[in-house]
Amino acid sequence: MSQSPSETPSALTLAASRRVVSGMRPTGELHLGHYFGVLKNWVAMQESMEAFFFVADWHALTSEYENPLAIREFVPSLVEDWLVAGLDPERCVIFQQSRIKEHAELHLLLSMVTPVSWLERCPTYKEMQQQIVSRDLSTYGFLGYPVLMATDIIIYKARWVPVGQDQLPHMELAREITRRFNHLYGEFFPEPEARLTETPKCPGLDGRKMSKSYNNGIFLREDMETITPKIRGMLTDTARMRRHDPGNPEVCNLFPYHELLTEASVQAEIRAGCLKASLGCVDCKKILLANLGAFLAPLQERRAALQTRPDRVREVLEAGNARARAVARETLEGARRLIGF
Ligand code: TRP
């Protein structure tokens, strides 16, 4: 579901109306949930938009500041996964947030105009404070998470931000901060908007949300040898005790994967076969394994090709950083001039 602009766009927003920005924190390996929820959409967007995708390592630091080495390790592996998923550095700008120091300066400027009460009211801030007890998140940096996110977006004068539902409170703040800046110093930044996408459900192997911490994921780096036993061990319709009992795809942990990976006509056959017990779970899993193998094959090929070029990820980042920096620098100069600094 893409949202339409809420107001008539000005000349400025029109100029940048094809620009999108999005980022991911380098905190872990990517799994199918990331692929179908985010990456697939990014890959599609690089074709029709001017796209900037970045590694949000400073954002990771807001909560992982006690273990910065882990963040550093995940930066190249994240970019590798992006390339494997199909991001093409010829079609989009791939960069690392902390290498563009202009983000830090704009973050500082935006922090001057952002009321603390807006940040304290942010639902993600309140929830994280309550839920995460293993780390002390009562820091200035963590409170400012949405200010940094607003910076990442408007420093490229991006119009659209492809994000998941969970980021909407941050997007609302980004819009408010942008309006406040424009109101104080003059119309300068286009107001960014979240671009939600219709993402099919990609639950974990056990039916809960796919997450590394639940140990229920299929990772983009895995081969079929490690994936096959995971699929074989999945629960299907637990009420279907015997092979000739009819099953119900709606309560099966496996069926959502067919919805992602299996051609529609075959999906319909599987559904019918399950409901009338002409198809058993073992055979149903075999079909899925074949489709998963076919889906992963081109990714694995791209990974193998990348691994023969050990400098490739670093080169992609360096080239992307230079392109991002040029845009960020220009925006920042304009912002400074407006404020009179
Ligand atoms: N907060 C985002 C997330 O956790 C990551 C992010 C940081 C981001 N800066 C951004 C996303 C700017 C979009 C635009 O998913």
Side-chain angles (χ1 to χ4, degrees):
M1 175 186 63
S2 66
Q3 300 171 327
S4 60
S6 49
E7 293 142 28
T8 320
S10 69
L12 183 68
T13 58
L14 272 179
S17 65
R18 299 179 68 75
R19 193 172 284 169
V20 302
V21 169
S22 197
M24 263 189 217
R25 284 170 299 143
T27 52
E29 294 205 351
L30 298 191
H31 49 57
L32 287 187
H34 296 112
Y35 179 84
F36 288 106
V38 184
L39 281 175
K40 195 177 169 193
N41 184 29
W42 285 14
V43 171
M45 277 186 152
Q46 69 182 347
E47 301 301 334
S48 56
M49 312 286 266
E50 192 191 349
F52 289 69
F53 298 121
F54 70 97
V55 181
D57 51 351
W58 275 337
H59 274 104
L61 198 60
T62 64
S63 53
E64 309 302 318
Y65 57 87
E66 286 181 39
N67 194 11
L69 284 184
I71 300 173
R72 211 168 83 182
E73 275 168 31
F74 278 122
V75 174
S77 86
L78 186 63
V79 173
E80 185 183 298
D81 278 347
W82 290 357
L83 299 177
V84 160
L87 280 193
D88 177 355
E90 305 290 320
R91 294 190 162 81
C92 64
V93 181
I94 296 174
F95 69 97
Q96 183 177 353
Q97 182 187 38
S98 69
R99 292 299 186 280
I100 319 297
K101 307 301 178 197
E102 285 74 9
H103 285 229
E105 187 176 338
L106 186 60
H107 172 260
L108 179 102
L109 296 177
L110 295 182
S111 75
M112 304 298 170
V113 306
T114 306
V116 174
S117 61
W118 289 5
L119 300 172
E120 283 172 337
R121 236 188 282 131
C122 182
T124 53
Y125 176 72
K126 290 194 285 193
E127 276 162 31
M128 294 271 281
Q129 287 275 19
Q130 283 161 3
Q131 284 168 12
I132 300 187
V133 290
S134 57
R135 280 157 290 174
D136 180 1
L137 294 181
S138 48
T139 58
Y140 177 54
F142 187 69
L143 179 67
Y145 188 108
V147 185
L148 187 56
M149 186 158 155
T151 304
D152 301 333
I153 300 162
I154 68 177
I155 204 164
Y156 301 101
K157 295 195 171 177
R159 179 75 184 88
W160 300 105
V161 185
V163 282
Q165 196 86 28
D166 62 315
Q167 297 297 314
L168 288 184
H170 296 149
M171 286 307 303
E172 216 29 68
L173 272 167
R175 290 159 61 79
E176 277 168 323
I177 294 169
T178 305
R179 280 199 289 269
R180 188 151 160 98
F181 182 100
N182 287 346
H183 172 74
L184 285 165
Y185 304 117
E187 250 348 270
F188 182 65
F189 291 111
E191 230 176 86
E193 230 173 295
R195 182 115 160 195
L196 294 175
T197 38
E198 195 115 49
T199 40
K201 224 170 59 171
C202 181
L205 296 163
D206 56 2
R208 293 188 290 172
K209 182 180 153 77
M210 192 179 281
S211 154
K212 190 169 193 173
S213 49
Y214 290 157
N215 194 23
N216 65 356
I218 297 175
F219 292 87
L220 296 185
R221 269 163 212 279
E222 285 183 297
D223 55 21
M224 290 311 289
E225 230 167 273
T226 55
I227 293 173
T228 302
K230 291 188 181 187
I231 300 289
R232 291 226 174 98
M234 280 177 76
L235 291 181
T236 52
D237 175 357
T238 48
R240 189 178 183 188
M241 308 285 266
R242 283 165 300 252
R243 168 66 184 81
H244 58 262
D245 292 339
N248 178 6
E250 300 307 324
V251 300
C252 172
N253 286 344
L254 196 79
F255 195 73
Y257 290 93
H258 279 303
E259 294 183 306
L260 293 166
L261 292 158
T262 302
E263 203 192 308
S265 61
V266 182
Q267 245 182 70
E269 280 172 39
I270 291 172
R271 177 185 289 280
C274 177
L275 288 168
K276 60 179 196 277
S278 61
L279 177 71
C281 296
V282 173
D283 288 326
C284 183
K285 287 180 173 180
K286 278 189 192 146
I287 303 172
L288 182 71
L289 280 167
N291 293 346
L292 201 47
F295 162 76
L296 286 173
L299 279 73
Q300 283 160 350
E301 256 168 53
R302 282 197 286 265
R303 174 128 23 221
L306 264 179
Q307 280 162 354
T308 65
R309 303 169 68 183
D311 293 332
R312 175 69 177 153
V313 165
R314 194 174 43 78
E315 287 163 5
V316 164
L317 272 178
E318 275 173 14
N321 288 344
R323 288 170 70 190
R325 193 175 294 123
V327 178
R329 197 168 276 173
E330 200 184 313
T331 311
L332 193 59
E333 262 167 37
R336 279 193 210 112
R337 209 174 311 121
L338 270 181
I339 303 177
F341 267 58

